[in-house]
């Protein structure tokens, strides 16, 4: 079996494959290092389970949260705004296929569970109900928890689940992201009896998630259109360059500046640096923020400070700002700085970061989060440092230290 998302193919003999997976499961629990016939995504998850001390025979789970907590979490979840779209895409299919549709938050909290009544009763026996914690650390390798851990779609079949109580199941899950920020909002899952596993379920869940994310983007555009009605008269009266942006830094209107789609995230009372504007103190307006220079020019310089702990990106204009970076964001920024004006697409970044081109969704989500911090200092299509920003390019020793081996940088196209 390869390491694709699908747990089976159309020609897989399900009985034989389930038997081989049970043998691999027993061997792994006896201490053997199993690789033959086991997908890497499953092997990685089993390693995490052993490291966490999760037992395959655990049956008692913490009591799920009460109805009032579930209702509050549902109301707070951005997914609630596209729940009708997910229901239209998956609920009827789930009922017909003897499956249930399950939606969780980004922390594995089960928000909604709908679908075939008989399967829902079986799920109750597992504690697979609204309010439950369905992360790997709580219930072992499962499509929801593993999708959260891997930041990628996952389909699991039979004994690929770590807990023996879940071996009669098959599950297909895909993370759903906020298209404005790249933030993972949760996971959408279809689960049912193991014999109902089918590779097309992966495409079905993937399509439903993409449609829901399109719905979230449409809601964002509607809010941005409303902000434009506020921005137009404000900017018409404003003297000098200025921007009106929403709470996530998306631009609703601009005057005296080249077009751009996004800047950093404005915060009340905090001066921010905007490329082309310089230092700005965000001023609240209905639905967003007005950004205009507090003084000085728009010259910008970007460098990395690796001596700091944790490392930071240093943005220098009229004043200097230091932005703390995760290791992954540090690696991405170093790659973009080294790539120069030609930049890198998502596939090239995936190869440099993960040794393959299969992590496009993860790369794009990480870039979106990085742009929330640095705004239009990082531009897209392809990803690169914005023109006009002076960059202190990391040296070969720095790149080798960040990636372990400089040869990984040869993976650029």
């Amino acid at each position: 079996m390869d390491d694709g998302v699908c747990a089976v193919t159309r020609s897989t003999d399900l009985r034989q494959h389930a038997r081989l997976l049970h043998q691999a499961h027993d061997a792994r629990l006896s201490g053997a290092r199993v690789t033959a016939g086991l997908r890497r995504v499953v092997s990685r998850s089993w390693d995490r389970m052993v490291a966490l001390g999760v037992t395959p025979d655990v049956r008692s789970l913490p009591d799920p949260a009460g109805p009032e907590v579930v209702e509050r979490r549902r109301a707070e979840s951005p997914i609630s705004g596209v729940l009708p779209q997910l229901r239209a895409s998956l609920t009827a299919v789930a009922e017909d296929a003897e499956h249930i549709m399950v939606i969780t938050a980004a922390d594995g909290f089960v928000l909604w569970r709908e679908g075939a009544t008989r399967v829902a009763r079986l799920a109750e026996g597992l504690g697979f109900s609204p309010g439950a914690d369905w992360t790997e650390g709580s219930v072992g390798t499962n499509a929801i928890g593993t999708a959260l851990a891997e930041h990628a779609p996952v389909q699991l079949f039979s004994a690929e689940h770590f807990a023996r109580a879940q071996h009669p199941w098959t599950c297909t899950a895909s993370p759903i992201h906020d298209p404005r920020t790249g933030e993972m909002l949760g996971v959408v899952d279809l689960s049912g009896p193991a014999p109902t596993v089918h590779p097309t379920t992966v495409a079905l869940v993937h399509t439903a998630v993409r449609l829901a994310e399109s719905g979230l983007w449409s809601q964002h555009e509607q809010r941005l259109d409303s902000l434009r009605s506020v921005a137009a008269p404000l900017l018409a009266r404003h003297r000098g360059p200025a921007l009106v942006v929403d709470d996530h830094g998306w631009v609703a209107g601009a005057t005296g500046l080249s077009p751009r789609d996004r800047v950093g995230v404005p915060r009340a009372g905090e001066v921010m640096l905007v490329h082309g504007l310089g230092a700005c103190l965000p001023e609240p307006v209905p639905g967003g923020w007005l950004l205009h220079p507090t003084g000085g020019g728009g010259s910008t310089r970007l460098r990395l400070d690796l001596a700091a702990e944790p490392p930071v990106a240093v943005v220098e204009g009229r004043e200097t700002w230091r932005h703390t970076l995760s290791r992954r964001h540090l690696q991405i920024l170093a790659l973009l700085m080294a790539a120069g004006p030609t930049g890198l697409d998502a596939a090239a970044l995936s190869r440099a970061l993960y040794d393959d081109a299969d992590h496009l969704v993860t790369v794009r989500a990480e870039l979106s989060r990085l742009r929330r911090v640095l705004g239009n200092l990082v531009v897209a299509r392809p990803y690169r440092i914005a023109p006009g920003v002076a960059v202190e390019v990391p040296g070969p020793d720095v790149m080798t230290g960040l990636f372990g081996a400089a040869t990984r940088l040869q993976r650029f196209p």
Side-chain angles (χ1 to χ4, degrees):
M1 184 70 61
D2 63 25
D3 197 38
V5 177
C6 297
V8 299
T9 66
R10 292 177 183 271
S11 60
T12 300
D13 183 324
L14 297 184
R15 287 180 178 272
Q16 180 183 10
H17 187 47
R19 185 164 54 252
L20 292 173
L21 289 173
H22 278 87
Q23 292 172 358
H25 188 270
D26 291 342
R28 182 67 181 88
L29 293 177
S30 69
R33 182 67 182 175
V34 181
T35 56
L38 195 66
R39 294 183 296 153
R40 286 177 293 173
V41 66
V42 178
S43 181
R44 288 194 298 268
S45 180
W46 287 6
D47 287 345
R48 291 193 292 269
M49 299 308 94
V50 173
L52 289 170
V54 176
T55 170
D57 295 313
V58 63
R59 286 183 174 271
S60 59
L61 299 174
D63 291 336
E68 68 287 348
V69 177
V70 173
E71 288 304 316
R72 175 177 58 79
R73 291 290 302 268
R74 286 173 173 174
E76 293 171 350
S77 172
I79 301 175
S80 63
V82 291
L83 184 60
Q85 291 168 271
L86 289 168
R87 283 173 170 155
S89 299
L90 295 176
T91 301
V93 175
E95 291 174 347
D96 291 343
E98 287 292 288
H99 275 60
I100 51 175
M101 177 186 75
V102 179
I103 300 173
T104 77
D107 61 356
F109 184 96
V110 178
L111 295 168
W112 292 277
R113 189 196 67 197
E114 304 174 3
T117 302
R118 183 183 73 85
V119 181
R121 286 198 296 268
L122 295 174
E124 287 290 336
L126 289 176
F128 195 14
S129 59
D133 174 4
W134 219 249
T135 56
E136 285 187 334
S138 178
V139 296
T141 302
N142 70 93
I144 291 171
T146 305
L148 289 170
E150 295 275 336
H151 291 262
V154 175
Q155 184 180 54
L156 295 177
F157 167 68
S158 186
E160 290 183 323
H161 294 87
F162 193 73
R164 290 192 173 95
Q166 297 172 35
H167 287 184
W169 288 78
T170 180
C171 308
T172 304
S174 180
I176 179 169
H177 295 87
D178 187 331
R180 301 168 302 173
T181 65
E183 176 188 5
M184 187 188 298
L185 300 177
V187 167
V188 178
D189 168 84
L190 281 183
S191 293
T196 64
V197 66
H198 201 281
T200 57
T201 308
V202 172
L204 176 64
V205 175
H206 176 81
T207 300
V209 167
R210 297 292 84 80
L211 289 172
E213 289 175 345
S214 295
L216 289 169
W217 183 256
S218 294
Q219 294 171 11
H220 159 68
E221 289 186 319
Q222 291 169 10
R223 289 189 291 267
L224 210 55
D225 282 340
S226 297
L227 182 56
R228 289 189 180 104
S229 65
V230 173
L234 273 176
L235 295 174
R237 296 193 301 267
H238 194 81
R239 304 179 70 177
L243 297 168
V244 173
V245 303
D246 71 3
D247 287 336
H248 296 277
W250 291 93
V251 177
T255 183
L257 290 165
S258 58
R260 61 197 61 194
D261 58 358
R262 193 178 183 186
V263 300
V265 177
R267 303 188 189 282
E270 293 186 12
V271 175
M272 61 184 293
L273 189 68
V274 178
H275 180 46
L277 284 180
C280 299
L281 183 63
E283 297 180 16
V285 298
W289 303 87
L290 173 66
L291 305 178
H292 58 89
T294 58
S299 176
T300 308
R301 182 176 181 83
L302 176 64
R303 62 182 176 86
L304 301 176
D305 182 357
L306 302 182
E309 184 57 43
V312 296
V314 181
V315 183
E316 300 169 332
R318 181 174 175 83
E319 299 182 42
T320 298
W321 285 262
R322 300 171 65 86
H323 301 279
T324 301
L325 299 171
S326 67
R327 179 166 181 81
R328 182 63 77 207
H329 284 174
L330 174 62
Q331 291 173 326
I332 291 172
L333 198 54
L335 288 169
L336 296 181
M337 294 168 74
T342 56
L344 297 167
D345 62 15
L349 285 165
S350 179
R351 285 191 291 271
L353 296 168
Y354 300 101
D355 288 329
D356 60 48
D358 300 332
H359 290 72
L360 302 184
V361 173
T362 303
V363 166
R364 289 172 182 140
E366 291 287 2
L367 259 299
S368 187
R369 284 189 283 271
L370 181 60
R371 293 181 74 197
R372 287 191 70 192
V373 175
L374 298 179
N376 61 307
L377 297 183
V378 176
V379 297
R381 303 185 194 93
Y383 295 112
R384 63 198 187 282
I385 305 302
V389 176
V391 173
E392 187 175 309
V393 179
D397 292 343
V398 170
M399 300 301 283
T400 300
L402 286 177
F403 293 92
T407 54
R408 299 186 69 171
L409 304 183
Q410 305 301 319
R411 300 180 184 276
F412 296 167

